[in-house]
Amino acid sequence: MRALPLSKALFGSAVVFFLMAPLFAILPLAFTDSIFLNYPIPRFSIRWFTELLTADAWRRSIINSLVIGVGTTVLATILGTVAALGLRGKSFSLLFGFFRTVFLLPMVVPAVVLGVGMQLMFAQYGLANTYLGVIVAHTVIAIPFVVVNVTAALQGIDHRLENAAASLGASPAVVLQKITLPLALPGVVSGAVFAFATSLDEVVLTLFVAGPNQRTVARQMFSTIRENISPAIAAAAFLFIVGTVALGALVLLIRQRSVRSL
Amino acid sequence: MRALPLSKALFGSAVVFFLMAPLFAILPLAFTDSIFLNYPIPRFSIRWFTELLTADAWRRSIINSLVIGVGTTVLATILGTVAALGLRGKSFSLLFGFFRTVFLLPMVVPAVVLGVGMQLMFAQYGLANTYLGVIVAHTVIAIPFVVVNVTAALQGIDHRLENAAASLGASPAVVLQKITLPLALPGVVSGAVFAFATSLDEVVLTLFVAGPNQRTVARQMFSTIRENISPAIAAAAFLFIVGTVALGALVLLIRQRSVRSL
Amino acid sequence: MSNAFIHFDKVSKAFGIMTVVDDLDLTIGKGEFVSMLGPSGSGKTTLLMMLAGFEKPTSGSISVAGKRVDALPPHKRNMGVVFQNYALFPHMTVSENVAFPLKMRGASRSEMVERVTKVLDMVQLGAFHERKPIQLSGGQQQRVALARALVFEPEVVLMDEPLGALDKKLREQMQMDIRDIHHRLGLTIVFVTHDQTEALTMSDRIAIFNHGKIEQIGSPSEIYDRPRTQFVAEFIGETNLLSGKVSSFNDGILSVILEGGQLLRVTSASKIEVGKSVKVSIRPEGIELGQSGLGENELRVRVSDIVYHGDHLQVQVEAGNNPLVVKATRQTLAPQIGEEVTASFSPSQCWIVT
Amino acid sequence: MSNAFIHFDKVSKAFGIMTVVDDLDLTIGKGEFVSMLGPSGSGKTTLLMMLAGFEKPTSGSISVAGKRVDALPPHKRNMGVVFQNYALFPHMTVSENVAFPLKMRGASRSEMVERVTKVLDMVQLGAFHERKPIQLSGGQQQRVALARALVFEPEVVLMDEPLGALDKKLREQMQMDIRDIHHRLGLTIVFVTHDQTEALTMSDRIAIFNHGKIEQIGSPSEIYDRPRTQFVAEFIGETNLLSGKVSSFNDGILSVILEGGQLLRVTSASKIEVGKSVKVSIRPEGIELGQSGLGENELRVRVSDIVYHGDHLQVQVEAGNNPLVVKATRQTLAPQIGEEVTASFSPSQCWIVT
C-alpha cells in the first residue's frame, strides 16, 4: 500500500518546512557581525561565539548547565531505571496504572504549576537557590523520559532469558546484573541522554527554583532576550542545536547497535 | 523474577513521593481563604475559584487557552497523522531517519530557541501577536506527540489487513479510509489529547509569540506569580491537574477499549 | 492443464541482490488446484504475492485468462486471497467482513444480505453474523476468511498457508472442506504450503519450489513415486538414496552396481548410459525385512535401531556402509536390534533421481 | 519407575479462577525419559514450570530425590531447562553462554574451559565457541541451549517444546540426538511437547494431559495400542470409534452389537457387564479392505473417498451409518470410490475405551 506517493511527499515536505522554519530563521544570525538580531546580515563573523565563551555571564551559565545537566542525568537515570524495573511486568494491575500515571505526570503537568509547588516546598527545606534544588527540579521532569525509555527496553527482553539464567543457578540479584541490565542498557543510555537534554532545555522550572548563581544557558538566553536582544542568543541556539543533533545521533547509534546485536 | 519486592516497593514509594511532593505542596492552597500563597491555611474557601471565573484577565485567559488549544489540536492532529502515514513502513531507509529526526526535533530543541526563531519569522509574516501565530507555534511543538502516538498505532496494524482489503477490491484511498484510519484511531485520539495538553501547558513559546490579547491560562499564571503571588494560581493549578487527569483517563480508556476490540 | 488460464512467463523477482523467484514459467489450468510446496525462502509465497498484485515482478509477465495482469493494482485483479493469519478486519463484524468485497463492487443492500447469508451458511457459520472476529475460534475465523474470499465469486482463489495456524485435527477437517468447495464451485485455487501432507491430499498438481525455481511439477503420485531430483525425493516423504554406477540396460530394467558392490535392478523409463553414476531412491515403505528374501533385489542388512511410531515401526538398518530406513507395519513380526536380516524390494520400488 | 525420583503429590495450580493443574499425582523414576503430551492449555507446561520453580503450586508438594523442592527458588534446584525459543543470552558468545552455569557455581577458569570444550564437542559445535547466538542457525542455537543445560551435570533436564521452532528434517535429527544423549548420560528428562510423533519416538513413558489432569500414563505402545479413554485414542494417532452394547463375554473375548446391528468380537483384559454401552476403538491401519473377508470381524462397507498420502492411501468408507477411515498400503490394490468391499479386522485390533 505505497499509494499516493507524490501527494504524501509534497505534503511531507510542507510539514518539514513548517517545523524547520523557526530554526532556519534564527540559526544564520549566529554568524552575524552586527549587534542586532536582524536580517539582513551585514557581514559574517564568529564574534558572538567568542562572546559566549568570554563574557562572564555566558561562561558561568555554560558551566552551570553542565553541572546541573550531569547531576540531573545521574539522579534521573538511577531513579527512573529503578522505577521502570519496579513497574515491570505489572502492566495489567490497577496499581501499575496508578504508578505509571504518577511517573508520567510531570510530562503533562504544566511547568508553571510544578514550578510554583517546588518554590513553596524548596523554601521550606532550604533548597531554594541551590544547585541541589535545581537538580532535583530538573530530575522530576526528566524521570518520565528515563522511565519510558527503560520500560520500552525492558519490554523487549524475553522473560525466558531471565528464567533460563535462574535455572542455571543465578540468584535474582545476579540475573539483574548479568542479564536484565546489560540487555536494557540501550534504553538506559537513551533515557540518560533524554534526561540531559531535558535539563539543558528547561527554562520555566529554572526560573522558579534557581537563584542568580544557578543560571543555566537556557535561562540566560531567556533573560538576555527579554533584556537586550543580542545575536549571542543565536550563537547559543546554534550550539544547542549542534549538541542536540549530536546527542540524537548518539541515541540512534546505540539503538541500531543494540538491534544488530540482539 | 518478582524478586526483592520489599526494597522495590520502598524505593518506589520514595520516588513517588519525590515526584508528587511539589503538587501536594501547591494544591491545598487553592482552597485557602487568605490572600497569600502561604501555609498555614487560615480557613478553607472557594473564593479563588470564583476569582478565576469572574476576574476579567483570568476569564479571558481561559477562553484564549480553549481557542488556542482546540486550534492546535486540529492542526497538529491533521499534520501529525499525515506525517505518520507518510513515514510509515520506511523504518530502514536513511530518509526515514532524517524525517523522523525532523519531526521529533521540536521535542528536544529548547523552547527558547524555537521561541526566538518564531518571533523573528512571525514578525515578517504578520503572525506576531495573532491567534494564528500562537496556534502555529503550539502546533510545532505538539506535532511530535501526534506523530509518536499515530506511528505506534500504525505499527500495530498488520499490513496483511490492508493487503486483504486491496485484494477484495478496495482502492488505496478506500483502504486508508475504511481500514487504516479506523484501526489507527486510538492513536490519533491519544495524539490529539497530548496536543491539547501541550498547548494548555506551553509558556515559553507563548511568551515570545503571543500578544496581550492571546494570554493563555499558563501564561497568565506565569505573569501573576512574578507580579503578585496570589492563591488564584493554586486554584488554576488545581483545575489544570483535574483537567489533565481527566484527559489521561480518557486516553487510557480509549487504549483499553481498542485493546479489547482488537 | 487443458487450457492455460494463469500463465507466468519468465517471471523473476529480486529484492536487492537476492533473487527470490528466478526466471520461472508456470501454467495453471482453469479449475485446477495447484499447490506450491517448498522450504521457506524458496519463492513460493513471493510468486503468490505477485499473482495477487502485492509485489511486482522484476521481469517477465503474468497473465490471467489471456490478459496481462502484472501492471494492475491488487484491487483490480478480482482474486480472492486467504492469508495464514486470516486477516479479518477486527473492527467489523463477521457479516461486515464478508460483505466488504460486495460493498466495494457497489452491490445493492438486498443482494449483499442474500449473498452473505448464503456463503456463511456454506461455511457453517450462519449463526455468527454479528460476532466480531476476536470472538471466534481459529477454525471459525479461517472459515470467515474463506467466505470473504469466495463471496464475490472470483475466478481465482489464492491461499497462503491458510491452515498453518490451526491444530492437527482442525487442519484435517479444513483440508476436507476446502477440497469439497473446490470440487463444488469449480474454482481455480493456488495454494501455498510447506506441509507436504496438505499438498499431497488436496492438489491436482504440486509444484516443488527450490531456490526460486520449480524443481518438478506434477500430480501428487508423479511427485511422490517418480521424483525427478534428489531434492524432490527427500523433500516429499522420506527416502533412501543409494549411489551406484549403471552396468547394463535391458527391457526397461537398469542394473546398478552400488558402491558396496551389491547389484540392484531398477525400472527406468529412459535409457541411461552404461558406466554413469546414478542415485537410486527407495521409499522406506517399499522395503520388506525378513529372514529370507522375497523380491528381485535383496540386501543383507543388520538392524541398528527400531523406533516406535504407533501405526508403524521405523527400522534403521545398515547395508554395508549404507544406512537405510525401513517402514515396517505393526502386523509383521519386528526384527531385533543387532539381528541380520534380508531387505527386499522390487525393481518398481526403485527410482533413479538426479 | 523403579525408584521414585521426582514426585508430584496432589499438585494443583490455579491462576485466578482458572484451575490449570488439578490435584495431580505423578512419579518419575531416575534416568527415565517422560514426555508430557496434550493440547495447549492442558497444564503440561505449567507442571514443568512448577518443577523448574518458575511457578509455585497452589497446593500439593513436589519432591526430587526425596527432598521437597517446591519452596526452593529456581536457582537452587539444579535442573537444566531447555526452552522452545532456546533462550540463549544474546549479549554473550556461545562459550560464555555455556560457561554461565559453571560461573554461577564458582568453577575455576581451567575447569570451565575444559568442560565447555567437552560439551560443545559433544553437540558438534566445537568450532563455534566465539560466535554470538544470532550468528547461528536454529538447529545450532538449540544445540547450544542443550549444551548449556547439560554442562553443569544436572540430574534432571526439563525441555519445553524444544524442537517446536525447527523444521521437519532438523527436528527428526535433533530427536535422534536427544535420545542418544539421554541413553549415554543416563539423565532424567521431562519433555513437554504437543507433537505426538516426538513423544512416541523418544519417550520411555508418555503422560497424556487433558484439562489439568493426566488421562493416561504409560509406555508409547501402551498409550497407542491400549488407550484407556476416547480422548487418548483420538489424541494419539487416528482412530475409528464405534458405539455398541456388550452382548456376551467369553474367554477374554467380548461380543459387541453395534448400533447398526452388526456383531463385533473384541479382545478385552477386563470383564465388562453384558448390556453395557461401550465404544470400540479400531486404528485405521488395523483394518484391511478386500473383496472377501479375512479376519474374524467383517463389515460390508461402501468406499466414499480415497485420499492419496504418498506412502499410503486414506480410504473413507461407510459401514451402515458409521464412517470409517482405513489406512491402505500402496502395495495392495486400491478399491474404487463407490465400490462395495469387506472391511476385516481381528479382535486384537479392537480396544474398548471409556
Side-chain angles (χ1 to χ4, degrees), chain C residues 31-312:
Chain C
E32 241 194 334
F33 190 131
V34 174
S35 289
M36 307 202 184
L37 182 66
S40 59
S42 59
K44 56 192 196 302
T45 297
T46 307
L47 198 71
L48 197 77
M49 292 297 119
M50 288 193 284
L51 184 51
F54 306 137
E55 300 284 358
K56 283 206 192 315
T58 311
S59 64
S61 72
I62 304 170
S63 49
V64 176
K67 284 192 292 280
R68 276 191 65 163
V69 299
D70 43 287
L72 282 183
H75 66 284
K76 297 204 174 133
R77 295 204 185 185
N78 207 35
M79 296 175 183
V81 183
V82 181
F83 293 85
Q84 176 169 10
N85 69 338
Y86 324 133
L88 298 179
F89 306 135
H91 56 306
M92 300 184 191
T93 63
V94 167
S95 281
E96 286 165 355
N97 264 284
V98 177
F100 188 85
L102 300 176
K103 215 170 186 174
M104 291 302 117
R105 284 163 178 77
S108 71
R109 182 112 209 105
S110 61
E111 191 193 345
M112 268 182 354
V113 170
E114 186 197 324
R115 285 172 69 174
V116 167
T117 306
K118 197 173 137 207
V119 76
L120 280 179
D121 285 346
M122 185 179 83
V123 296
Q124 296 152 46
L125 287 173
F128 296 87
H129 279 262
E130 292 314 315
R131 297 268 185 103
K132 284 283 180 79
I134 191 101
Q135 298 169 298
L136 302 180
S137 70
Q140 289 167 339
Q141 288 187 45
Q142 190 52 281
R143 288 210 166 84
V144 176
L146 199 59
R148 193 179 62 177
L150 296 175
V151 71
F152 59 104
E153 294 172 2
E155 287 173 307
V156 183
V157 177
L158 312 180
M159 301 193 183
D160 184 15
E161 310 212 10
L163 309 180
L166 303 179
D167 68 27
K168 190 164 164 282
K169 303 272 166 196
L170 206 52
R171 202 160 63 227
E172 283 168 4
Q173 180 57 46
M174 287 293 298
Q175 283 171 18
M176 291 298 149
D177 290 354
I178 293 175
R179 224 168 137 246
D180 207 52
I181 287 170
H182 171 239
H183 289 153
R184 249 189 311 152
L185 307 185
L187 294 165
T188 306
I189 296 184
V190 184
F191 190 97
V192 164
T193 181
H194 66 263
D195 179 335
Q196 43 160 306
T197 307
E198 221 161 83
L200 284 171
T201 58
M202 300 174 77
S203 323
D204 293 325
R205 284 193 302 155
I206 301 174
I208 306 283
F209 278 69
N210 191 24
H211 295 308
K213 288 180 179 293
I214 293 177
E215 288 246 344
Q216 187 173 356
I217 181 165
S219 72
S221 70
E222 273 166 23
I223 297 283
Y224 188 84
D225 294 335
R226 300 196 290 281
R228 198 141 58 204
T229 65
Q230 190 175 333
F231 175 82
V232 173
E234 290 187 305
F235 193 80
I236 285 265
E238 281 184 287
T239 201
N240 296 293
L241 288 170
L242 299 172
S243 303
K245 270 199 168 62
V246 175
S247 68
S248 74
F249 180 72
N250 275 320
D251 268 350
I253 299 284
L254 281 176
S255 294
V256 176
I257 297 176
L258 299 185
E259 280 165 3
Q262 305 97 320
L263 188 82
L264 285 193
R265 291 162 62 73
V266 176
T267 47
S268 173
S270 59
K271 187 173 176 351
I272 295 178
E273 278 169 51
V274 170
K276 207 182 165 198
S277 290
V278 292
K279 292 233 178 220
V280 181
S281 159
I282 310 159
R283 298 285 181 190
E285 71 274 13
I287 303 177
E288 279 192 65
L289 297 178
Q291 293 310 323
S292 56
L294 298 160
E296 292 192 56
N297 288 312
E298 293 180 6
L299 293 174
R300 211 46 203 165
V301 298
R302 170 184 293 277
V303 176
S304 59
D305 198 2
I306 298 176
V307 181
Y308 181 82
H309 274 257
D311 59 348
H312 69 275

Side-chain angles (χ1 to χ4, degrees), chain D residues 176-194:
Chain D
M176 292 295 150
D177 290 355
I178 291 175
R179 227 169 134 247
D180 208 53
I181 287 170
H182 171 239
H183 289 151
R184 249 187 312 152
L185 307 185
L187 294 166
T188 306
I189 297 183
V190 184
F191 190 97
V192 164
T193 181
H194 65 263

Side-chain angles (χ1 to χ4, degrees), chain A residues 239-258:
Chain A
L239 289 185
F240 250 120
I241 302 290
V242 170
T244 302
V245 168
L247 279 178
L250 183 69
V251 172
L252 276 183
L253 204 75
I254 287 164
R255 290 229 174 122
Q256 283 193 347
R257 263 196 51 201
S258 74

Side-chain angles (χ1 to χ4, degrees), chain A residues 121-178:
Chain A
M121 210 174 65
F122 285 6
Q124 202 153 0
Y125 297 107
L127 286 172
N129 301 345
T130 65
Y131 281 101
L132 185 59
V134 182
I135 289 173
V136 167
H138 285 191
T139 299
V140 167
I141 55 160
I143 279 183
F145 293 99
V146 178
V147 172
V148 166
N149 275 284
V150 178
T151 298
L154 289 175
Q155 276 171 350
I157 298 177
D158 187 342
H159 249 303
R160 284 171 294 190
L161 290 179
E162 292 161 292
N163 277 347
S167 76
L168 296 169
S171 65
V174 175
V175 172
L176 185 67
Q177 179 204 335
K178 296 274 184 192

Side-chain angles (χ1 to χ4, degrees), chain B:
Chain B
M1 298 323 311
R2 304 288 181 287
L4 318 168
L6 188 69
S7 58
K8 269 188 193 166
L10 278 177
F11 205 90
S13 309
V15 176
V16 167
F17 174 77
F18 182 77
L19 292 175
M20 297 290 275
L23 295 179
F24 284 132
I26 190 170
L27 293 184
L29 292 174
F31 297 94
T32 189
D33 189 29
S34 151
I35 60 159
F36 300 108
L37 196 62
N38 271 97
Y39 285 100
I41 295 173
R43 238 185 318 162
F44 290 98
S45 101
I46 55 158
R47 62 177 281 198
W48 295 107
F49 288 97
T50 320
E51 164 89 9
L52 274 193
L53 299 174
T54 50
D56 196 54
W58 282 108
R59 254 204 11 237
R60 260 209 91 105
S61 73
I62 291 174
I63 293 167
N64 279 340
S65 270
L66 291 177
V67 168
I68 291 166
V70 169
T72 301
T73 304
V74 171
L75 193 57
T77 304
I78 292 171
L79 294 179
T81 301
V82 172
L85 285 170
L87 286 178
R88 186 182 183 203
K90 306 194 174 59
S91 41
F92 294 104
S93 74
L94 207 69
L95 202 68
F96 173 81
F98 169 71
F99 277 104
R100 220 184 55 150
T101 309
V102 168
F103 283 116
L104 301 185
L105 214 52
M107 229 168 169
V108 284
V109 170
V112 178
V113 174
L114 280 177
V116 176
M118 285 178 186
Q119 204 176 37
L120 284 170
M121 209 173 66
F122 285 7
Q124 202 151 2
Y125 296 107
L127 286 173
N129 303 346
T130 64
Y131 281 100
L132 184 59
V134 182
I135 288 173
V136 167
H138 285 192
T139 299
V140 167
I141 56 160
I143 279 183
F145 293 99
V146 179
V147 172
V148 166
N149 275 285
V150 178
T151 298
L154 290 174
Q155 276 170 351
I157 299 177
D158 187 342
H159 249 304
R160 284 170 292 189
L161 290 178
E162 291 159 293
N163 277 347
S167 76
L168 296 169
S171 65
V174 175
V175 171
L176 185 68
Q177 180 204 335
K178 296 273 183 192
I179 309 296
T180 314
L181 284 181
L183 292 175
L185 193 62
V188 175
V189 174
S190 297
V193 170
F194 272 107
F196 188 69
T198 304
S199 169
L200 283 189
D201 300 352
E202 176 49 46
V203 178
V204 179
L205 279 186
T206 316
L207 281 168
F208 282 108
V209 300
N213 287 331
Q214 290 88 37
R215 281 205 161 192
T216 62
V217 177
R219 168 85 173 76
Q220 173 69 14
M221 285 168 74
F222 185 78
S223 352
T224 309
I225 210 156
R226 290 168 71 87
E227 290 152 15
N228 68 323
I229 301 192
S230 107
I233 299 218
F238 187 85
L239 289 185
F240 248 122
I241 301 291
V242 169
T244 303
V245 169
L247 280 178
L250 183 69
V251 172
L252 277 183
L253 204 76
I254 288 164
R255 290 229 173 121
Q256 284 191 348
R257 264 197 50 202
S258 73
V259 165
R260 226 177 293 135
S261 78
L262 283 183

Side-chain angles (χ1 to χ4, degrees), chain D residues 300-305 316-319 337-341:
Chain D
R300 213 44 203 166
V301 298
R302 170 183 294 276
V303 176
S304 58
D305 199 3
Q316 315 222 341
V317 301
E318 305 279 343
I337 292 179
E339 206 179 333
E340 285 234 348
V341 293

Side-chain angles (χ1 to χ4, degrees), chain A residues 3 11 18 22 29 31 51-52 75 82 96 101 118-119 133 145 168 175 194 207 231 233:
Chain A
F11 205 91
F18 181 77
L29 292 175
F31 298 95
E51 165 89 6
L52 273 194
L75 194 57
V82 172
F96 173 83
T101 310
M118 285 177 186
Q119 204 176 36
F145 293 99
L168 296 169
V175 172
F194 272 108
L207 281 168
I233 298 209

